[in-house]
Amino acid sequence: MPMLLRPDGAPVRVLVVDDEPDIAEVLHEVLRQEGWEVRVAGDGAAAVRLAAEFRPDAVVLDVMLPDLDGLEIMRRVRGRLPEVCVLFLTARDAVEDRVAGITAGGDDYVTKPFSLEEVLARLRGLLRRAGMARAEPDNRLVAGDLAMDEEAREVTRGGTLIDLTPTEFELLRLLMRNPRRVLSKGQILDHVWSYDFGGQAHVVELYISYLRKKIDAGREPLIHTVRGVGYVLRP
């Protein structure tokens, strides 16, 4: 799915507010893998302060917090950022609580336990409807800070242009089109070198090493080996 960007082309900014560290951490990681900038606050005071500094496009907001409740946090944040999208995320599932959140100005409401896919879908919908984000063209692949323009055949990491040979480009494109999916050497041979290549598995190992030197050298590794299985690009 194309990555959402702000109208100026910058990454979407999301503030996650939840006092349960495990939930906050998994939301942070999943939203970051969308290519978005993410900040986390564990209480209401930190949320209000971070919102003023970070100026998010959307807030994923728990209603039950140790100091301020979510409705009060929303009022304070909207005082500075009236256009910010607010997605309530809470263990409360009573109808009256949902109505209270929406009536107070919340844009949507998801209850715990939640589906990460649902949270992402709701956020994408809110951002699009608010006109605060646009979809990156389909010819652009993004994995963390690694980006590929398939039409221009350009690859950058952290904004730095990376020069790849045609075969390296095709190998990286296959990995980027299948993020977090482990691909066997046979699958890679079939897709990059074609069925009639007749090559051996060692050519895959060789080109993976070439890619790593260009993509991962001096940076957090994106290309990983799964022993006995194959390779995976994991943002």
Side-chain angles (χ1 to χ4, degrees), residues 89-105:
L89 183 69
T90 176
R92 291 186 175 184
D93 57 4
V95 172
E96 57 268 24
D97 292 323
R98 294 174 185 248
V99 172
I102 300 300
T103 302

Side-chain angles (χ1 to χ4, degrees), residues 51-172:
E53 298 170 358
F54 182 50
R55 301 187 67 81
D57 303 300
V59 181
V60 180
L61 180 58
D62 189 1
V63 172
M64 299 295 292
L65 291 165
D67 49 359
L68 303 173
D69 66 40
L71 299 181
E72 178 60 27
I73 294 169
M74 181 181 65
R75 293 187 191 100
R76 297 190 186 189
V77 171
R78 282 260 175 83
R80 290 176 176 265
L81 303 169
E83 302 301 320
V84 70
C85 299
V86 176
L87 174 67
F88 282 121
L89 183 69
T90 176
R92 291 186 175 184
D93 57 4
V95 172
E96 57 268 24
D97 292 323
R98 294 174 185 248
V99 172
I102 300 300
T103 302
D107 297 293
D108 209 341
Y109 200 114
V110 177
T111 56
K112 300 176 184 178
F114 57 84
S115 158
L116 291 171
E117 290 79 7
E118 181 181 10
V119 172
L120 281 172
R122 298 284 184 95
L123 278 175
R124 291 190 194 107
L126 291 178
L127 289 163
R128 285 195 182 102
R129 288 195 297 272
M132 298 177 66
R134 60 178 175 83
E136 185 69 13
D138 287 334
N139 60 8
R140 182 175 165 87
L141 300 173
V142 177
D145 61 350
L146 179 68
M148 171 182 284
D149 186 324
E150 295 181 280
E151 187 173 313
R153 296 187 70 83
E154 289 183 349
V155 174
T156 60
R157 183 157 188 198
T160 301
L161 190 65
I162 298 171
D163 185 33
L164 299 180
T165 67
T167 301
E168 291 167 349
F169 183 90
E170 292 304 324
L171 175 55
L172 181 62

Side-chain angles (χ1 to χ4, degrees), residues 9-87:
V12 168
R13 296 178 181 176
V14 182
L15 174 62
V16 175
V17 185
D18 200 302
D19 63 336
E20 297 183 58
D22 289 345
I23 290 178
E25 182 179 353
V26 72
L27 283 170
H28 176 274
E29 183 62 21
V30 168
L31 298 178
R32 190 181 65 82
Q33 288 179 8
E34 283 290 295
W36 299 348
E37 292 186 26
V38 187
R39 299 290 185 275
V40 174
D43 58 53
V48 174
R49 183 181 68 254
L50 265 176
E53 298 170 358
F54 182 50
R55 301 187 67 81
D57 303 300
V59 181
V60 180
L61 180 58
D62 189 1
V63 172
M64 299 295 292
L65 291 165
D67 49 359
L68 303 173
D69 66 40
L71 299 181
E72 178 60 27
I73 294 169
M74 181 181 65
R75 293 187 191 100
R76 297 190 186 189
V77 171
R78 282 260 175 83
R80 290 176 176 265
L81 303 169
E83 302 301 320
V84 70
C85 299
V86 176
L87 174 67

